[in-house]
Amino acid sequence: MDMKTLKKLGREHFGSACRLCANCDGKVCAGEIPGAGGVASGASFKNNFEDLAKVQLRLRIVHEVHKPDCSFDLWGHKLAMPILAAPIGGIQFNWNNYINESEYCKHVIAGCKMAGAMGMTGDGKMPEIYGEGIEAIVESGGFGIPTIKPRPNELIIEKAAIAEKAGAVAVAVDVDAAALINITSSGQPVGPKSFNELVELKKNINLPLIIKGVMDPEDALAIAEAGIDGIVVSNHGGRVLDHTPGTAAVLPAIAKALEGKNMTIFVDGGIRTGFDVIKMLALGADAVLVGRPVTQAAVGGAEGVACLMNHLKSQMEAGMIMTGSQTLADITDRVIYKG
Ligand SMILES: Cc1cc2nc3c(=O)[nH]c(=O)nc-3n(C[C@H](O)[C@H](O)[C@H](O)COP(=O)(O)O)c2cc1C
């Protein structure tokens, strides 16, 4: 399996749902939901790509980094790279029926495990979607992180207990799906969380808890104050609110606000290469999530997903050599070109 074969398979299966553009920047699919696009004008998806593209790296050659180490410790789980597959719910109706939810979750979780990355699974308008993610996680011996929609707290706590029983590494809640059309139109109650509701979640969930969809330092601080273990800086791939900045633009201020707090910072949005991963770490993230490229790679099954993750890792290693970074700790804003 190689990246070229994956593209070829994708072209045979995705139809107009995803045109496999060279950049995957949200331009061609703008407004296509269901589909691969960002909401309305698609600006938030496009900004993810463009704000990250604006960050430039400092190319360094006088140093001693020959074999960089990009391994990452995620709450006691040693990963070969700081890369996770983002949760994707509703792949079947968003991606031209090329795959069903259950197969997708299995490919993502198993493929990530094969490569030494980690897979996350989603939730959606059909409650079975969450269960299919859990099944894949159980099959892999607990090597994954399920994500729950921002449902009423008692339901989230119930679903988190299922994740714990499955042996999951952590559990996430994508609070930025508070007004997601797919969910609200199916009559399922979702909504934002108050500070007290976050405290209640933390108190009643035994796994590390991640809040996904943070775009503002004030939210990040409140979430830290509530004792939450991780955040994903994310605008849901530009699918929930038109005209937000890209995540690369807001990440530095969020990371600064969280300095000294016990919080793992993940980020997603427009990350397409291992070089992009380096940029996001330099801007303040501990690890990244990759969304649409995984939906495309899963056309090659678990091996396709593993192929993508290995590809990102090898680009990352090349980028670490070219920025003089031996370990992830060396990837600071030192590697960003400031003119
Ligand atoms: C088709 C589709 C379905 C998604 N489903 C979920 C979901 O169920 N839960 C969630 O937290 N995020 C979901 N997301 C958002 C992704 O997890 C992630 O934040 C986003 O795709 C990252 O941007 P990227 O695709 O540009 O890498 C979905 C995104 C897409 C494109």
Side-chain angles (χ1 to χ4, degrees):
M1 189 70 62
D2 56 34
M3 296 303 291
K4 221 170 146 190
T5 309
L6 288 176
K7 267 228 150 137
K8 187 171 166 287
L9 283 174
R11 291 201 200 291
E12 286 162 17
H13 288 90
F14 299 161
S16 61
C18 171
R19 276 73 129 208
L20 285 161
C21 307
N23 275 339
C24 189
D25 55 7
K27 284 186 182 151
V28 171
C29 59
E32 294 181 6
I33 301 180
V39 70
S41 77
S44 303
F45 178 0
K46 288 183 248 180
N47 287 343
N48 280 344
F49 184 88
E50 282 164 15
D51 286 340
L52 188 52
K54 279 181 208 147
V55 179
Q56 295 182 314
L57 292 168
R58 274 174 82 197
L59 190 157
R60 302 296 304 272
I61 53 168
V62 183
H63 58 74
E64 293 177 353
V65 178
H66 295 265
K67 281 197 172 164
D69 171 13
C70 64
S71 63
F72 176 64
D73 189 299
L74 178 59
W75 294 310
H77 299 266
K78 182 102 170 157
L79 303 184
M81 63 192 91
I83 307 177
L84 292 84
I88 303 284
I91 185 75
Q92 191 165 354
F93 59 85
N94 280 296
W95 234 266
N96 197 35
N97 271 309
Y98 92 84
I99 195 168
N100 68 40
E101 301 297 326
S102 166
E103 280 171 330
Y104 181 74
C105 293
K106 285 181 184 165
H107 294 339
V108 169
I109 294 292
C112 283
K113 188 173 180 182
M114 243 181 249
M118 182 161 295
M120 294 179 75
T121 57
D123 188 5
K125 64 176 179 182
M126 284 94 72
E128 305 84 79
I129 292 180
Y130 181 74
E132 280 156 347
I134 292 285
E135 262 173 44
I137 291 171
V138 169
E139 220 168 78
S140 76
F143 205 78
I145 301 177
T147 309
I148 306 167
K149 289 280 172 248
R151 303 173 185 280
N153 266 12
E154 58 276 18
L155 257 180
I156 295 180
I157 291 164
E158 216 174 87
K159 285 176 182 282
I162 296 172
E164 192 186 351
K165 206 162 153 231
V169 168
V171 68
V173 181
D174 53 325
V175 183
D176 60 354
L180 191 66
I181 185 83
N182 285 343
I183 309 293
T184 49
S185 64
S186 65
Q188 299 190 48
V190 286
K193 294 290 169 195
S194 69
F195 177 76
N196 288 340
E197 284 174 309
L198 290 174
V199 171
E200 185 187 37
L201 286 180
K202 177 60 195 162
K203 212 169 118 202
N204 289 284
I205 294 176
N206 298 319
L207 291 170
L209 178 58
I210 302 168
I211 297 295
K212 182 168 179 282
V214 180
M215 287 292 287
D216 188 278
E218 278 180 30
D219 278 355
L221 269 178
I223 291 166
E225 196 66 22
I228 307 293
D229 308 275
I231 56 164
V232 185
V233 176
S234 174
N235 59 13
H236 214 99
R239 288 168 78 83
V240 292
L241 178 65
D242 203 6
H243 297 291
T244 74
T247 51
V250 299
L251 174 59
I254 291 174
K256 190 158 194 293
L258 293 176
E259 248 168 32
K261 309 269 180 206
N262 189 17
M263 173 73 84
T264 302
I265 304 176
F266 305 87
V267 66
D268 70 19
I271 297 163
R272 302 292 177 256
T273 67
F275 307 113
D276 289 341
V277 180
I278 291 179
K279 291 183 191 181
M280 287 299 203
L281 299 197
L283 295 173
D286 296 303
V288 307
L289 276 51
V290 175
R292 292 171 180 89
V294 177
T295 61
Q296 295 155 359
V299 74
E303 277 170 21
V305 174
C307 171
L308 170 69
M309 290 298 171
N310 283 324
H311 176 67
L312 295 173
K313 177 171 174 261
S314 61
Q315 283 179 330
M316 216 190 142
E317 285 165 344
M320 287 175 76
I321 294 172
M322 295 316 300
T323 55
S325 309
Q326 179 59 47
T327 68
L328 301 186
D330 300 321
I331 306 178
T332 63
D333 85 334
R334 171 192 72 81
V335 308
I336 294 177
Y337 176 74
K338 298 184 193 87

